[in-house]
């Protein structure tokens, strides 16, 4: 079924972490003093996105496994620096209780939230981006998701690195302008340059410009590795040595960086509600958690989304 309006695929962890660190706890608390800054900021972001992007569908992707074992098996350093001493992800103590709150409010609104065992939110977004009818707009502050951009479907990334009010609406040309490679080679680009925030070491001595130049010349990692074995391929000796030393890493890194697009997901109804699915429950939650303003703004945005 063709749609004129986009579906918004929300990288929920990206947005609620951003909300948590963007709004002081002192500015958003319940009557008994429990922080709700992440919840309030997340809902306000959704309201702004609905007002400005005019979607007719929305799905919020969740992290059911922030560090999947299959990725760690391929690359043990993957997100290793973010593992808490007692196990699990290092998450602020006052953020963790707010995630179930977000899920309760979304359920009362009628906005689906979905995750999958053994997969990250990125993988859920990747799967939805190829299975949901377009146009598709993925909302995230994670640069790994530039690889999902596809002008043919079309799939765009609304990159919120500077906040939702200043999001970058990225098609393939925007990815090329930003990273110097087409979107379908962005995973190879990330593997080469590395990403300390995800525990990806990259290739020593290969930065963004060199990575982009290599991909432009050889087409991608497969072409680069094949060229390493060809003495006529024109590598500078120092660069050839660096890439050769990184062969084992480069054999697994793309599989780690590449977002899955075949995650098993339940049947979902992504249709954007024009009114809350359970208004009485939403009112109770808004009063209990001091979220009346944010809930009202999102409800108002939903009510006018089809105008």
């Amino acid at each position: 079924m063709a749609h004129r309006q986009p579906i918004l695929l929300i990288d929920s962890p990206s947005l609620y972490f951003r909300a948590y660190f963007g709004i002081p706890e002192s500015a958003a608390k319940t009557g008994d003093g429990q922080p709700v800054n992440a919840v309030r900021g997340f809902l306000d972001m959704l309201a702004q996105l609905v007002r400005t992007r005019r979607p007719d569908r929305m799905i919020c992707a969740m992290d059911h496994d922030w560090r999947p074992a299959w990725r760690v098996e391929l690359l043990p350093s993957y997100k290793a620096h973010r593992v808490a001493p007692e196990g699990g992800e290092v998450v602020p103590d006052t953020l963790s209780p707010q995630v179930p709150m977000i899920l309760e409010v979304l359920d009362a609104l009628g906005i689906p939230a979905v995750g999958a065992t053994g997969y990250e939110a990125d993988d859920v977004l990747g799967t939805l981006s190829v299975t949901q009818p377009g146009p598709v707009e993925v909302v995230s502050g994670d640069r790994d998701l530039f690889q999902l951009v596809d002008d043919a479907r079309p799939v765009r990334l609304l990159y919120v690195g500077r906040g939702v009010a200043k999001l970058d609406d990225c098609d393939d040309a925007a990815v090329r302008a930003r990273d110097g490679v087409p979107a379908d080679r962005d995973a190879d680009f990330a593997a080469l340059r590395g990403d300390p925030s995800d525990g990806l070491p990259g290739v020593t001595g290969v930065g963004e410009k060199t990575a982009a130049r290599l991909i432009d010349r050889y087409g991608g990692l497969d072409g680069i590795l094949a060229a390493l074995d060809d003495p006529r391929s024109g590598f500078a000796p120092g660069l050839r040595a660096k890439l050769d030393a990184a062969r084992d890493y480069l054999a697994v890194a793309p599989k780690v960086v590449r977002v899955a697009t075949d995650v098993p997901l339940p049947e979902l109804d992504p249709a954007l509600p024009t009114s809350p699915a359970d208004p009485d429950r939403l009112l109770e939650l808004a009063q209990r958690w001091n979220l009346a303003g944010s809930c009202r703004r999102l409800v108002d945005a939903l009510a006018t989304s089809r105008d």
Side-chain angles (χ1 to χ4, degrees):
M1 176 182 175
H3 290 260
R4 293 179 59 188
Q5 293 172 274
I7 181 172
L8 284 185
L9 303 181
I10 307 297
D11 183 351
S12 300
S14 178
L15 265 60
Y16 63 63
F17 266 93
R18 182 171 298 277
Y20 177 83
F21 289 108
I23 300 174
E25 289 185 10
S26 59
K29 291 187 176 184
T30 64
D32 61 3
Q34 183 176 5
V36 289
N37 51 329
V39 188
R40 185 177 295 181
F42 181 82
L43 296 177
D44 284 343
M45 289 182 194
L46 292 192
Q48 182 159 353
L49 287 163
V50 171
R51 284 196 309 270
T52 57
R53 306 308 300 188
R54 313 289 293 180
D56 64 359
R57 296 155 291 150
M58 179 187 289
I59 300 174
C60 292
M62 305 299 295
D63 263 339
H64 279 195
D65 192 340
W66 68 279
R67 190 174 182 250
W70 60 271
R71 283 193 167 106
V72 176
E73 185 176 350
L74 289 167
L75 189 68
S77 66
Y78 183 66
K79 295 186 178 179
H81 61 294
R82 289 157 56 180
V83 178
E86 66 280 7
E89 185 179 14
V90 176
V91 177
D93 291 341
T94 51
L95 172 57
S96 296
Q98 297 188 58
V99 178
M101 294 180 180
I102 289 172
L103 292 174
E104 283 203 58
V105 174
L106 289 175
D107 186 58
L109 285 162
I111 297 173
V114 63
T117 301
Y119 293 96
E120 302 174 53
D122 287 6
D123 302 310
V124 175
L125 293 165
T127 299
L128 292 170
S129 76
V130 301
T131 56
Q132 291 294 316
V136 174
E137 295 185 343
V138 180
V139 183
S140 178
D142 185 349
R143 62 189 295 182
D144 288 343
L145 294 180
F146 282 113
Q147 64 183 278
L148 298 183
V149 171
D150 182 352
D151 288 357
R153 293 211 65 239
V155 179
R156 306 172 79 91
L157 178 68
L158 306 183
Y159 184 66
V160 296
R162 299 181 298 159
V164 170
K166 298 179 180 179
L167 59 80
D168 294 315
D169 183 353
C170 298
D171 59 4
D172 191 73
V175 177
R176 289 173 185 262
R178 179 187 178 91
D179 289 343
V181 298
D184 64 359
R185 290 290 177 265
D186 212 70
D188 287 356
F189 173 76
L192 283 165
R193 64 160 167 76
D195 186 347
S197 68
D198 280 343
L200 296 172
V203 178
T204 301
V206 174
E208 294 193 356
K209 291 183 179 179
T210 301
R213 189 169 65 250
L214 286 168
I215 289 171
D216 180 63
R217 180 168 184 176
Y218 298 104
L221 267 181
D222 288 344
I224 292 167
L225 292 172
L228 275 180
D229 297 321
D230 182 355
R232 300 165 298 173
S233 56
F235 283 108
L239 180 58
R240 183 188 292 273
K242 291 171 182 174
L243 290 166
D244 195 53
R247 278 182 187 267
D248 289 346
Y249 162 75
L250 291 175
V252 298
K255 302 172 188 174
V256 174
V257 175
R258 202 162 290 129
V259 172
T261 56
D262 58 354
V263 175
L265 296 174
E267 288 291 325
L268 297 167
D269 180 5
L272 198 70
T274 55
S275 60
D278 190 339
D280 291 339
R281 183 173 171 224
L282 181 64
L283 178 60
E284 189 274 323
L285 294 175
Q287 292 174 337
R288 188 201 314 172
W289 292 329
N290 194 21
L291 297 169
S294 294
C295 287
R296 183 174 58 252
R297 284 187 286 274
L298 183 47
V299 169
D300 289 348
L302 294 172
T304 58
S305 62
R306 308 294 178 85
D307 292 350

